Amino acid sequence: MIVSHKHRFIFLKTRKTASTSTELVLFPHCGDGDIITPLTPTDLTRRYGHRARNHLRSTFPFDPRPLIHRFRPVEGSRSIDFHDHIHARDVRSYVGEKIWNSYFKFSFERNIYDRQVSWYHYRTKKPEHARKWPDFRTFLMRSPRAKIDNFLIYTIEGRPVVDFMGRYETLEPDLRAVMKLIGLPEPAEMPFAKGEIRPRRERSYRDYYDDETKALVESWYPGERELFGDVF
């Protein structure tokens, strides 16, 4: 997630939409006073020189961090700090109405069926999780983190609050359009930060579903279905 005071934009970072890659394109243009949330260190993030800044907030006297972290903020609290997939409602609360209403806000979304398959592969990349949820159906039925909260990231009270909603399926042209709107140069290329997690697409995402799992996923995401009309 990025709040750029230098360029007056807010990037709301959704899950499984190449959002880390998008952030790696955006952050080099940010100023010292901009808010950039942490990314998991990888060879790619190190190569791009990504570093978080200004994402820890002090809320004295009700700061729930251990006392040492109030003076030496070596880690944050998702309940009071800016974090990577923070919801729009919290961003608005933290930055205030003046900034929220005047900055250009954008995000990206993805077909819910394809997104869910990508989330399954991401959540089972560790061997212990793969053993616990060995297939897509088991993951949907048993994992406590099978649902994705993207809709809450770019909506408040069920209504979209972004000025531009791009799509994963048209990521590069949509991102180039955003860069033009916020006055930044178009990226020469897109870094693909997590493309190695999901196996190469020998299978269509449709092959993961049966009637029951398709109905379950549809019941989880009525907001996305109404907003985007995603088809199977």
Side-chain angles (χ1 to χ4, degrees):
M1 194 283 302
I2 296 176
V3 177
S4 175
H5 301 300
K6 180 179 180 180
H7 298 289
R8 299 173 61 85
F9 73 78
I10 298 174
F11 168 51
L12 297 171
K13 184 180 174 184
T14 49
R15 301 180 192 274
K16 309 316 300 172
T17 59
S19 56
T20 295
S21 300
T22 300
E23 186 167 345
L24 291 177
V25 168
L26 293 168
F27 96 91
H29 303 285
C30 292
D32 292 340
D34 292 351
I35 298 166
I36 303 174
T37 55
L39 294 176
T40 302
T42 65
D43 289 343
L44 183 64
T45 60
R46 283 188 285 267
R47 186 164 75 245
Y48 274 74
H50 184 277
R51 59 193 180 279
R53 63 183 76 133
N54 306 315
H55 61 287
L56 300 179
R57 302 170 64 246
S58 178
T59 57
F60 289 106
F62 304 110
D63 192 332
R65 298 184 192 96
L67 184 62
I68 189 174
H69 293 163
R70 301 186 193 180
F71 299 97
R72 222 176 128 209
V74 294
E75 65 181 46
S77 168
R78 291 177 72 88
S79 64
I80 64 169
D81 291 326
F82 292 96
H83 56 88
D84 52 353
H85 299 294
I86 187 172
H87 293 174
R89 178 189 59 195
D90 293 330
V91 177
R92 183 180 67 178
S93 173
Y94 294 172
V95 303
E97 293 287 343
K98 183 177 180 180
I99 288 176
W100 177 259
N101 291 330
S102 61
Y103 283 22
F104 183 80
K105 297 174 287 292
F106 62 98
S107 191
F108 289 84
E109 191 51 288
R110 182 176 186 172
N111 176 287
I112 59 170
Y113 308 100
D114 189 32
R115 187 184 71 185
Q116 193 67 43
V117 171
S118 180
W119 183 238
Y120 156 67
H121 284 292
Y122 177 73
R123 294 297 304 165
T124 57
K125 63 181 179 178
K126 294 183 178 180
E128 60 269 29
H129 292 162
R131 288 191 294 269
K132 188 183 299 185
W133 308 305
D135 55 63
F136 185 62
R137 166 181 278 274
T138 303
F139 174 71
L140 294 187
M141 300 298 181
R142 297 184 183 177
S143 171
R145 294 196 59 190
K147 294 183 183 180
I148 299 176
D149 63 349
N150 277 6
F151 194 68
L152 295 174
I153 293 172
Y154 54 81
T155 64
I156 297 176
E157 296 180 354
R159 298 174 56 188
V161 292
V162 293
D163 302 297
F164 183 97
M165 175 60 73
R167 292 287 291 188
Y168 173 86
E169 293 79 9
T170 53
L171 176 65
E172 292 200 35
D174 285 355
L175 181 56
R176 293 181 191 281
V178 166
M179 301 288 275
K180 184 175 182 179
L181 286 168
I182 60 181
L184 297 180
E186 293 185 4
E189 62 179 357
M190 281 288 293
F192 290 100
K194 298 178 183 176
E196 73 281 0
I197 291 173
R198 182 171 172 180
R200 292 295 179 184
R201 298 194 177 200
E202 295 89 356
R203 301 170 62 189
S204 164
Y205 68 81
R206 298 179 184 86
D207 297 334
Y208 287 77
Y209 289 88
D210 56 30
D211 290 343
E212 184 179 10
T213 54
K214 177 175 177 289
L216 178 62
V217 167
E218 290 173 349
S219 73
W220 284 350
Y221 307 120
E224 289 96 321
R225 294 186 69 207
E226 180 178 356
L227 188 60
F228 301 107
D230 285 347
V231 295
F232 185 64

